[in-house]
Amino acid sequence: MIASIELQIISKILTSDDDALVDELCGYDASYYSVFKPHINYILDHKSRYGNVPDVFTFKATFPDVELVVVNEPLEFLGTQIRKNKQHILLMETFNKIKELGSNDVSEAWKYLSTQCDIAEQLSEFSPLDIIKDSQKRAEQVAEYSKQARIPTGFAEIDKLMYGGLSTVEELVILLARTNTGKSWVCTKMMEAAQKAGFPVAYYSPEMQGAYLATRFDTWRAHHQNSSLYRGMYSEAYLQYLKDLSNESTSAYIIEDKDAPDGVSVKKIEAFIKLKGVKLLIIDGLSYMMDDEKSKTDYDKFQHICRDLFRLSKKYGCAIVVAVQANRETRESKDEKGVPFPN
């Protein structure tokens, strides 16, 4: 692992055209390296003397045995891994030093151990936003986020309340309703509206086959009578509609349990979202999903899945809508006006 991340970062520094990224990676000095310490020292010295890192030819002339690799990992990943690398180096140094000091110098050993622990703590990934010192940074971040396109839900009232629709920065919406009150119809409308606006959609449907669910999409899109479509009674107008629809560039996917024989989980959906660039994920049956952590209770299972879904939303800028069936007991629930809730 040590050689791997060190080589990845050196390769990225030498081959990247992004000056800001190179400067960021060069901020990790030689203390973060072990196997490739001479190599990074050479790069940093060249940058200090001449204002830029050496080109690949110059580097290879000094280190001909090093084979650079293609690196596609984001800066966040590289930063996290190189900090862990330094923690590993510190750990090994600490073990060796404590062994060297032995039991005859206990006070010195504890002092050294305390110092090393303090250094390791500074490498922690836990770095919350300081809204005071980073006031300018956070304001710029919000301004940048506000420029992100929002996904229409297909319902003007909801879009108005949500400043134009579902966020592509981070969004997890829970749609709660009793059985047979139209949750799937609402979700299908969201799928139709998002696809029409150019946002790829994935819809997890464990209870209804994809082909049948797709007829609801067609009803929303072109107002074809769903009862006829459901029975395979197709008009010429519908057949022409299907032909035209197949020429559209934005996709909408319906995921069924048969697509993942071992069970649909957040990890499996994440791989698909990354591959297809999905911007709206609809989960129409949370209870059917597998928990990657294999929780023993339903409460823990749902908590873990929703937590992982929200992390997925933040990571890929993918809005997520989860349809949840209200318990039967809610039939007796009423709001302050005496209206059954949810209604």
Side-chain angles (χ1 to χ4, degrees):
M1 180 60 191
I2 288 180
S4 173
I5 186 58
E6 291 181 9
L7 181 58
Q8 280 182 292
I9 292 186
I10 284 175
S11 298
K12 193 73 169 179
I13 289 174
L14 295 176
T15 59
S16 176
D17 295 326
D18 187 336
D19 292 338
L21 183 147
V22 170
D23 288 342
E24 182 80 16
L25 293 178
C26 286
Y28 299 104
D29 60 33
S31 67
Y32 288 80
Y33 294 78
S34 176
V35 178
F36 287 88
K37 187 184 287 287
H39 308 76
I40 192 64
N41 273 329
Y42 176 80
I43 292 172
L44 296 178
D45 181 64
H46 189 287
K47 190 173 188 296
S48 176
R49 288 188 181 192
Y50 307 110
N52 60 353
V53 299
D55 59 29
V56 174
F57 181 83
T58 301
F59 179 82
K60 292 283 286 183
T62 305
F63 303 101
D65 296 332
V66 176
E67 291 295 330
L68 301 179
V69 296
V70 177
V71 181
N72 295 317
E73 297 292 355
L75 177 61
E76 181 182 5
F77 171 85
L78 297 175
T80 297
Q81 295 305 313
I82 196 64
R83 288 193 295 273
K84 287 182 179 179
N85 196 57
K86 183 169 182 176
Q87 288 178 325
H88 179 81
I89 293 170
L90 284 170
L91 185 63
M92 298 309 297
E93 289 177 350
T94 302
F95 284 154
N96 293 332
K97 183 67 174 180
I98 296 298
K99 183 178 179 181
E100 176 187 326
L101 292 172
S103 59
N104 295 327
D105 202 349
V106 176
S107 297
E108 184 64 23
W110 276 112
K111 181 179 178 181
Y112 178 80
L113 182 60
S114 176
T115 301
Q116 292 293 86
C117 288
D118 288 341
I119 296 173
E121 281 296 320
Q122 294 172 12
L123 297 171
S124 171
E125 296 178 50
F126 190 74
S127 54
L129 174 69
D130 184 338
I131 66 171
I132 307 304
K133 292 183 173 60
D134 296 330
S135 57
Q136 186 66 33
K137 179 182 177 181
R138 62 178 170 82
E140 291 172 355
Q141 191 175 50
V142 171
E144 186 63 30
Y145 285 162
S146 69
K147 298 176 185 177
Q148 298 285 339
R150 286 187 169 261
I151 305 172
T153 64
F155 301 95
E157 300 91 336
I158 297 177
D159 289 345
K160 182 178 180 180
L161 289 170
M162 302 187 74
Y163 307 107
L166 301 169
S167 171
T168 53
V169 176
E170 57 183 35
E171 193 81 88
L172 176 62
V173 175
I174 305 296
L175 178 63
L176 179 69
R178 297 193 187 96
T179 307
N180 298 323
T181 53
K183 294 188 300 296
S184 296
W185 274 101
V186 170
C187 288
T188 312
K189 177 60 179 176
M190 289 183 173
M191 174 171 62
E192 186 273 332
Q195 186 277 337
K196 188 175 183 179
F199 296 95
V201 186
Y203 189 125
Y204 173 48
S205 174
E207 295 184 335
M208 182 180 291
Q209 289 193 33
Y212 283 117
L213 183 64
T215 65
R216 296 185 176 186
F217 177 100
D218 301 332
T219 296
W220 281 118
R221 174 62 58 86
H223 309 293
H224 295 286
Q225 189 176 48
N226 193 256
S227 59
S228 296
L229 301 184
Y230 204 83
R231 291 176 291 164
M233 299 169 59
Y234 304 150
S235 65
E236 289 298 323
Y238 179 67
L239 294 175
Q240 182 60 49
Y241 154 81
L242 292 177
K243 183 177 180 181
D244 294 339
L245 186 67
S246 65
N247 292 323
E248 294 193 10
S249 58
T250 304
S251 294
Y253 306 94
I254 297 177
I255 302 169
E256 300 178 55
D257 285 331
K258 66 178 178 58
D259 298 317
D262 296 332
V264 174
S265 68
V266 175
K267 284 185 178 179
K268 289 183 179 179
I269 289 178
E270 178 177 359
F272 185 79
I273 285 176
K274 182 178 181 180
L275 177 67
K276 299 296 184 180
V278 170
K279 303 307 291 182
L280 172 60
L281 170 65
I282 298 172
I283 304 293
D284 191 4
L286 190 67
S287 61
Y288 290 88
M289 289 188 66
M290 300 291 291
D291 178 12
D292 290 310
E293 298 183 33
K294 297 180 173 57
S295 300
K296 295 182 180 180
T297 67
D298 285 343
Y299 176 82
D300 288 339
K301 170 185 174 180
F302 297 149
Q303 186 180 50
H304 292 160
I305 291 174
C306 285
R307 178 202 62 197
D308 292 343
L309 285 172
F310 190 48
R311 287 177 178 173
L312 184 152
S313 173
K314 294 163 75 75
K315 184 176 181 179
Y316 296 100
C318 174
I320 297 175
V321 175
V322 180
V324 178
Q325 181 174 307
N327 294 331
R328 295 183 182 277
E329 289 76 10
T330 60
R331 293 175 184 271
E332 307 302 324
S333 301
K334 297 181 180 180
D335 62 18
E336 64 276 7
K337 297 181 180 179
V339 178
F341 179 85
N343 57 31

